[in-house]
Amino acid sequence: QIDYTGTEPSSPCNKCLNVSWDSTPPCTCTINFTLEHSFESNVFMYYGLSNFYQNHRRYVKSRDDSQLNGDNSSLLNPSKECEPYRTNEDKPIAPCGAIANSMFNDTLELYRIENNTRTPITLIKKGIAWWTDKNVKFRNPTGDGNNLTALFQGTTKPVNWPKPVYMLDSEPDNNGFINEDFIVWMRTAALPTFRKLYRLIERKNNLQPTLQAGKYSLDIAYNYPVHSFDGRKRMILSTISWMGGKNPFLGIAYITVGSICFFLGVVLLIIHHRYGNRNTSADIPN
């Protein structure tokens, strides 16, 4: 994990701590780090946020699923659940709502440093969203042709976005409402400290690890403000084994619940042994 919030004065990202949504140009910083051990299989790159309550009731409801599913009438007349991010300057917002308006928009680039030379690591931006989200729940508006600019005509971008939804990516199958970074963000987290999949790093050679042990650098376009609510940001590199990914939450939860059940079982056994009905007589009282 690499924390790049920048609250420490010695951090390279400290200069970006008070960045705003519309900072032009974006603040950039670079953090160097060392991998002590190689990553042998495919690597998953996440961004993590802390003290960010995506589980707040009003925040979770602030979206229009019909609009996100490509319904043309909802595109121009979003649900009132999106207030106060339903319209802007008398134009409907696409996508509307507080979830979309607060979309994570930092840009992360990874480099390997060898002999004072920086070699970029290829980061794959497709395949990070759930298949059902990408192909069922999220669809672009329909109409004549595939020109997203024309299909989203009459709408405006979310207040905090630097560009409209039809300019999220240059590739047509990853643009608009079906942009995978957007889809991943729209699946809200259950806890205030969470991580979301950002990029994939695929293993290219079975004879060499995906990420060799050594020196690396992380280039950050710091756009996402978290200092105002005492939040923190981090980049996480993870891999999986035959048992799945490393996630301590389930293990801790199982051990905690199991320990409580065992303790209650012992307590109830003692209570039953000491205070239970000990009358073993078979006589039936009159």
Side-chain angles (χ1 to χ4, degrees):
Q1 295 190 66
I2 304 296
D3 189 307
Y4 67 93
T5 310
T7 53
E8 301 79 11
S10 59
S11 172
C13 294
N14 180 258
K15 62 182 179 179
C16 303
L17 189 60
N18 295 314
V19 70
S20 61
W21 292 94
D22 55 355
S23 295
T24 305
C27 185
T28 59
C29 57
T30 299
I31 294 181
N32 297 319
F33 64 96
T34 301
L35 287 182
E36 301 294 341
H37 306 284
S38 298
F39 283 48
E40 299 293 339
S41 60
N42 292 339
V43 177
F44 300 86
M45 186 180 194
Y46 299 86
Y47 61 86
L49 294 175
S50 298
N51 203 33
F52 193 108
Y53 288 82
Q54 272 199 318
N55 55 4
H56 191 282
R57 182 182 63 86
R58 290 191 62 188
Y59 182 89
V60 171
K61 292 174 62 179
S62 186
R63 61 189 292 163
D64 187 342
D65 288 318
S66 295
Q67 186 192 58
L68 297 174
N69 194 240
D71 183 75
N72 289 351
S73 60
S74 297
L75 180 69
L76 299 177
N77 186 26
S79 168
K80 293 182 179 179
E81 295 285 0
C82 289
E83 294 288 1
Y85 302 106
R86 181 173 177 262
T87 61
N88 185 29
E89 297 179 352
D90 296 328
K91 287 186 176 182
I93 294 177
C96 72
I99 307 176
N101 187 65
S102 59
M103 178 180 168
F104 182 83
N105 64 341
D106 281 357
T107 302
L108 308 176
E109 296 178 349
L110 190 63
Y111 295 86
R112 173 168 168 77
I113 303 176
E114 193 172 14
N115 298 326
N116 294 324
T117 301
R118 298 206 323 161
T119 304
I121 304 297
T122 302
L123 303 178
I124 300 173
K125 60 187 176 182
K126 295 182 181 180
I128 61 175
W130 290 20
W131 187 91
T132 51
D133 287 349
K134 174 78 173 180
N135 296 278
V136 179
K137 292 183 66 175
F138 291 80
R139 310 301 302 165
N140 281 324
T142 56
D144 296 333
N146 296 318
N147 187 347
L148 286 183
T149 304
L151 294 176
F152 281 98
Q153 187 175 8
T155 66
T156 187
K157 66 179 182 64
V159 177
N160 287 338
W161 285 26
K163 52 189 176 183
V165 67
Y166 51 83
M167 295 179 63
L168 289 179
D169 198 280
S170 58
E171 300 182 29
D173 61 344
N174 193 43
N175 201 8
F177 290 158
I178 59 173
N179 176 265
E180 297 203 26
D181 285 326
F182 171 67
I183 294 174
V184 168
W185 177 257
M186 293 299 292
R187 181 168 285 276
T188 54
L191 299 174
T193 297
F194 59 87
R195 65 181 183 179
K196 292 178 182 283
L197 187 57
Y198 180 71
R199 293 291 181 265
L200 303 174
I201 306 174
E202 289 187 346
R203 187 174 186 177
K204 297 180 179 180
N205 189 342
N206 291 330
L207 301 178
Q208 293 183 350
T210 308
L211 293 180
Q212 300 179 8
K215 296 182 178 180
Y216 290 82
S217 66
L218 177 68
D219 283 10
I220 304 152
Y222 199 113
N223 301 306
Y224 202 72
V226 296
H227 185 55
S228 60
F229 57 88
D230 295 327
R232 300 197 70 86
K233 300 190 290 187
R234 62 195 188 281
M235 183 278 296
I236 303 147
L237 295 175
S238 178
T239 187
I240 59 173
S241 64
W242 62 273
M243 295 182 66
K246 181 180 179 181
N247 187 353
F249 174 76
L250 284 179
I252 295 172
Y254 288 153
I255 292 174
T256 302
V257 174
S259 300
I260 293 173
C261 292
F262 177 78
F263 174 76
L264 291 177
V266 172
V267 171
L268 293 175
L269 179 63
I270 294 173
I271 292 174
H272 176 73
H273 180 72
R274 293 191 59 181
Y275 305 106
N277 184 8
R278 299 183 182 181
N279 185 9
T280 59
S281 175
D283 295 337
I284 299 177
N286 294 327

